[in-house]
Amino acid sequence: MSPRIALFLAGCAAFLNLYATQGLLTELAGTFGVSARQAGWSITVTTLAVAITAPFVGRLTAGAAQHRVIAVAAMLLALPAVLAAWASGFGEFLFWRGVQGMLIPVVFATSVAYIGVRWSGGAVSEATSVYVAGTILGGFCGRFLTGLVTEYADWRLALSLLGALSLVMGALILWLLPRNPVAPAPVLVDRAAAAGELWRRPLLAAYAVGFCVLFSQVATFTYAGLHLGQAPFSLGSGALGTIYAVFLLALVVIPIAGRLSKARPQGELVKVAAWLGVTGSLLTLASTLWLIVLGLALSSTGVFLAQAAANAFTTSHARYNKAGAVGLYLTSYYLGGSFGAWVPGALWEQWGWPGCVALIVVFQLLSLFVAWTFWKPAAQPGYPLPRPRP
């Protein structure tokens, strides 16, 4: 049980700081003298750093004990969090947000690789769902706590608090997460063939699904915050932080989905996720706050369903180069987040929230199309893999 608890905490640590500034764009703009759209770079810089760093995590941590890598990286996240909180200028603030983005994939990629080594078969989906549930709670707490503390104190104190929590969670992970059992000697595989595995159609489709999933999530919760901060809603930072409680619904849905995915193809989970997302996005066009909150709840649940499916798919289908596949998946995933933070900005300035929703729905449907079209061959028994060398 302790490995699952530790993986849950690892998910929390990875996502606690990542989107923490999503509800603070107005405050950051006022402090540093930039526009709200420019303040959105506090998210773009972090997710872009994650995307750039992710492919190299496997090589940088090769030979190190996975459980220690996860714990140390989680604790190190505390330093740039505090330095960003007390930055004197916007450039310095973005720099430390970028450093956070370089550490986050060490937690994420190593956790996913840890799952792939420790469990097999349907247990991979179940363990992945536990980790994803941790990312949900971490993402919620990062947004909620910053909004709440900013409402009654200051955004700098709020981000400092997240740094302290990162340190505590890293220590708990170090205590609870056991070393993985020694894996059997790997089968020698031709390097060219192993590299070719990373570019097979099903895995390419998984990378594309990841891009679409995070694009839609970041776009939704970045620009929905700006939408709800305007009249007639005029929500403050504390109220906006509370809105992110919609993520907690996924804490119930995702573990159930993890169990169901043992018997059902991951593509079917993406289908459900896409329709939840589209329905939720359309509901946010309502003029009633409770309908908008319901829409955000459905949309976020769909995002985490699709994320759990894509993570499990990537881990289980990259049989000879898991680290490489996870790295490429994370690069695509967080590139989607980077684009989702700033691409809708032009639509926001021209057409407001309805323009953003139209783009979000396109990407939600695109994830469904890609998974439903290109994941089917991976489930066939004849799926080709690199041949071991004698």
Side-chain angles (χ1 to χ4, degrees):
M1 190 64 185
S2 64
R4 285 177 167 82
I5 295 174
L7 285 171
F8 182 85
L9 291 173
C12 289
F15 276 69
L16 184 70
N17 294 281
L18 184 57
Y19 304 115
T21 63
Q22 210 162 39
L24 305 178
L25 300 187
T26 302
E27 286 75 11
L28 293 175
T31 300
F32 295 117
V34 297
S35 68
R37 186 182 179 187
Q38 288 174 312
W41 278 93
S42 63
I43 303 165
T44 301
V45 165
T46 311
T47 52
L48 188 60
V50 173
I52 293 171
T53 308
F56 306 103
V57 170
R59 294 181 182 179
L60 292 173
T61 61
Q66 290 174 325
H67 69 301
R68 293 188 185 277
V69 171
I70 296 168
V72 171
M75 287 188 283
L76 285 176
L77 278 167
L79 181 60
V82 174
L83 292 173
W86 299 100
S88 58
F90 191 56
E92 182 184 348
F93 178 77
L94 292 182
F95 173 79
W96 290 117
R97 288 287 294 167
V99 173
Q100 284 181 294
M102 296 174 69
L103 288 170
I104 287 170
V106 179
V107 179
F108 195 116
T110 311
S111 297
V112 174
Y114 182 96
I115 291 170
V117 171
R118 192 170 192 88
W119 290 281
S120 61
V124 171
S125 295
E126 187 175 0
T128 301
S129 71
V130 172
Y131 175 78
V132 171
T135 69
I136 296 165
L137 185 62
F140 163 70
C141 288
R143 296 169 170 101
F144 173 72
L145 291 176
T146 52
L148 186 65
V149 175
T150 300
E151 183 79 15
Y152 295 101
D154 180 70
W155 68 265
R156 295 184 186 275
L157 181 61
L159 295 185
S160 298
L161 174 62
L162 297 190
L165 288 175
S166 297
L167 195 61
V168 171
M169 284 191 288
L172 287 173
I173 293 168
L174 186 62
W175 178 42
L176 293 171
L177 193 64
R179 177 187 292 270
N180 254 339
V182 178
V187 177
L188 293 177
V189 179
D190 180 78
R191 287 186 178 182
E197 178 190 35
L198 302 179
W199 306 104
R200 294 186 184 277
R201 189 169 64 176
L203 284 177
L204 287 175
Y207 309 153
V209 169
F211 182 98
C212 294
V213 165
L214 198 59
F215 181 100
S216 63
Q217 185 200 42
V218 171
T220 296
F221 286 94
T222 299
Y223 293 93
L226 293 177
H227 173 58
L228 293 174
Q230 294 180 336
F233 307 105
S234 302
L235 300 184
S237 59
L240 286 175
T242 305
I243 291 292
Y244 294 119
V246 297
F247 289 161
L248 300 182
L249 177 62
L251 287 174
V252 178
V253 176
I254 298 302
I256 295 174
R259 295 186 183 94
L260 291 176
S261 66
K262 290 183 177 182
R264 308 300 300 175
Q266 281 111 357
E268 292 190 10
L269 278 182
V270 176
K271 180 180 180 181
V272 174
W275 289 118
L276 281 173
V278 170
T279 302
S281 295
L282 295 178
L283 282 176
T284 64
L285 294 173
S287 57
T288 306
L289 184 58
W290 75 266
L291 278 176
I292 295 176
V293 173
L294 176 61
L296 292 175
L298 293 176
S299 181
S300 65
T301 301
V303 162
F304 289 116
L305 274 176
Q307 183 191 4
N311 282 342
F313 185 94
T314 302
T315 303
S316 59
H317 283 69
R319 303 186 186 180
Y320 290 91
N321 194 352
K322 290 186 186 294
V326 170
L328 287 174
Y329 171 79
L330 290 177
T331 294
S332 181
Y333 183 75
Y334 285 104
L335 277 176
S338 297
F339 280 86
W342 66 270
V343 168
L347 298 179
W348 167 261
E349 293 177 351
Q350 187 70 30
W351 293 291
W353 178 238
C356 295
V357 169
L359 183 62
I360 290 164
V361 168
V362 167
F363 275 86
Q364 289 167 333
L365 292 176
L366 185 58
S367 69
L368 169 61
F369 172 78
V370 171
W372 202 246
T373 304
F374 298 110
W375 280 10
K376 287 183 179 180
Q380 302 301 321
Y383 176 63
L385 290 168
R387 292 183 179 178
R389 293 190 310 212

